[in-house]
Amino acid sequence: MSNLRDIRRRIKSVKNTRQITRAMQLVSSSKMKRAQDAAVAGRPYALLLAALLDTVGEKLELSGVSIQHPFFEKREPNTRGILVLSTDKGLCGPLNTNLFRKIADEVAGSAKFVAVGRKATQYISRTKRDLMADFTISDKAGFGEIRPMLKLLTEAYLRGEIDTIEVAYPSFVNVLVQEPVIQPLLPIVDLREVLEQLKKRVKGEESMLSARSDAREMTFEPTAEAVLNELPGLYVNVIIHQLLLESRAAEYCARMVAMKAATDNASNLVDDLTLDYNKARQAAITQEILEISAAAAS
């Protein structure tokens, strides 16, 4: 009987766990839809801004105007600046683990880190890396929330404390695939590579990239220099915000898939335990019948 009680207790415990994981799956599914819509909606603007910056740079070079901006100056990468976009909570499968493994494999030498999410902060502290600052961003990931982080990164770059700005984040490919990526942002060396990465995810990108092939002359207001002074900073801010939205979508997709797998495993475990319980109960009943029969025969 004690064995039956243990099995019943374990079945009840697994059912409670299944109820929790099922609820977390539904919550993640709801948040995933909003995060996915936000990430997809921001891609055309990020692509258009990158294409605009690329076009402006080309037109200025053709007109003989040299590009003078700190973001375009090539530097020797003595100290890399890495922005790590992770999650605040776990239960999202190997999402953070894959990201941290990529950082460990590809980031060697001197580097300073800015962490978004408690998991990234814990990883950087645990591995004794140089942590400049850590930030907690809400689920909505509004642009106003990341302004202090953007200011910290750009000012550190302009002061020469870091020689690059790179973003390590889980890229949202689809619901089942989240790929860890380390994307360089500064210095701006090859915008065409960034454009190629962005346009793979945006439908109708041909119309957005038509400006580069436009042979007409362009007039810049108030001046070409004024436009070029403001555009690179806006480009960096928008791209970082877009990558943050991508990482949020990847997080909720990974958590929904992980919770669905946990719910399915709990259901399978309940079925196995129920079968064991029925077998043990049948064996107990058979044993009692045998004992009664033996007692009656004697």
Side-chain angles (χ1 to χ4, degrees):
M1 293 300 294
S2 61
N3 187 35
L4 291 175
R5 283 196 298 269
D6 292 341
I7 295 177
R8 282 199 302 267
R9 191 180 299 115
R10 188 160 184 214
I11 289 175
K12 183 178 179 181
S13 175
V14 174
K15 284 183 176 179
N16 291 337
T17 302
R18 182 178 62 182
Q19 189 175 4
I20 294 172
T21 57
R22 175 63 177 168
M24 295 179 67
Q25 176 189 343
L26 295 176
V27 171
S28 298
S29 178
S30 175
K31 290 185 176 181
M32 178 198 71
K33 184 64 171 64
R34 291 196 297 268
Q36 191 174 351
D37 290 344
V40 172
R43 288 172 180 174
Y45 180 67
L47 174 61
L48 182 60
L49 185 59
L52 179 61
L53 181 59
D54 181 54
T55 303
V56 168
E58 184 194 36
K59 296 298 182 182
L60 290 178
E61 289 176 356
L62 291 177
S63 61
V65 178
S66 60
I67 300 177
Q68 300 292 333
H69 195 281
F71 289 176
F72 287 92
E73 296 175 359
K74 294 183 180 180
R75 300 184 186 179
E76 194 68 28
N78 297 319
T79 303
R80 298 170 64 181
I82 312 291
L83 172 63
V84 185
L85 305 180
S86 73
T87 66
D88 288 325
K89 303 175 184 177
L91 301 176
C92 52
L95 186 77
N96 291 315
T97 303
N98 291 340
L99 178 63
F100 299 152
R101 184 181 295 117
K102 188 172 185 65
I103 292 174
D105 293 340
E106 298 188 9
V107 180
S110 178
K112 293 185 177 182
F113 292 83
V114 174
V116 174
R118 284 195 291 268
K119 294 298 180 180
T121 303
Q122 293 170 1
Y123 168 75
I124 295 170
S125 300
R126 186 173 62 252
T127 54
K128 309 298 183 182
R129 298 174 184 265
D130 190 353
L131 179 63
M132 295 174 60
D134 63 280
F135 297 88
T136 300
I137 307 297
S138 69
D139 292 341
K140 294 182 179 180
F143 190 80
E145 294 184 74
I146 67 173
R147 288 184 185 276
M149 177 185 68
L150 297 173
K151 183 178 180 181
L152 173 72
L153 281 170
T154 54
E155 287 183 354
Y157 182 83
L158 293 174
R159 288 195 302 266
E161 295 178 9
I162 54 177
D163 299 308
T164 66
I165 292 181
E166 305 168 51
V167 183
Y169 72 104
S171 174
F172 168 68
V173 180
N174 54 51
V175 175
L176 298 177
V177 179
Q178 298 85 38
E179 180 184 359
V181 175
I182 299 180
Q183 181 168 327
L185 287 184
L186 294 182
I188 301 173
V189 179
D190 187 7
L191 274 173
R192 299 306 295 175
E193 181 179 352
V194 177
L195 287 169
E196 289 297 327
Q197 292 178 356
L198 286 171
K199 76 178 184 178
K200 290 178 182 178
R201 305 177 184 178
V202 182
K203 296 180 180 179
E205 70 277 359
E206 292 81 6
S207 61
M208 297 180 185
L209 300 180
S210 59
R212 184 179 176 88
S213 58
D214 194 340
R216 294 175 296 179
E217 293 185 0
M218 291 187 178
T219 302
F220 300 96
E221 295 290 345
T223 62
E225 290 76 8
V227 172
L228 194 60
N229 283 335
E230 296 296 330
L231 202 54
L234 179 61
Y235 159 77
V236 172
N237 293 347
V238 169
I239 293 297
I240 290 179
H241 184 236
Q242 177 61 30
L243 298 184
L244 180 59
L245 295 177
E246 299 275 347
S247 69
R248 282 289 187 265
E251 173 188 351
Y252 292 124
C253 288
R255 182 167 291 116
M256 186 199 69
V257 172
M259 291 300 99
K260 185 180 184 305
T263 302
D264 294 341
N265 290 337
S267 297
N268 294 334
L269 185 55
V270 167
D271 293 341
D272 294 340
L273 290 173
T274 302
L275 182 60
D276 292 340
Y277 174 79
N278 292 334
K279 288 181 178 179
R281 184 168 175 269
Q282 185 63 43
I285 293 173
T286 303
Q287 180 65 29
E288 290 179 2
I289 293 174
L290 289 176
E291 290 176 356
I292 293 172
S293 300
S298 61

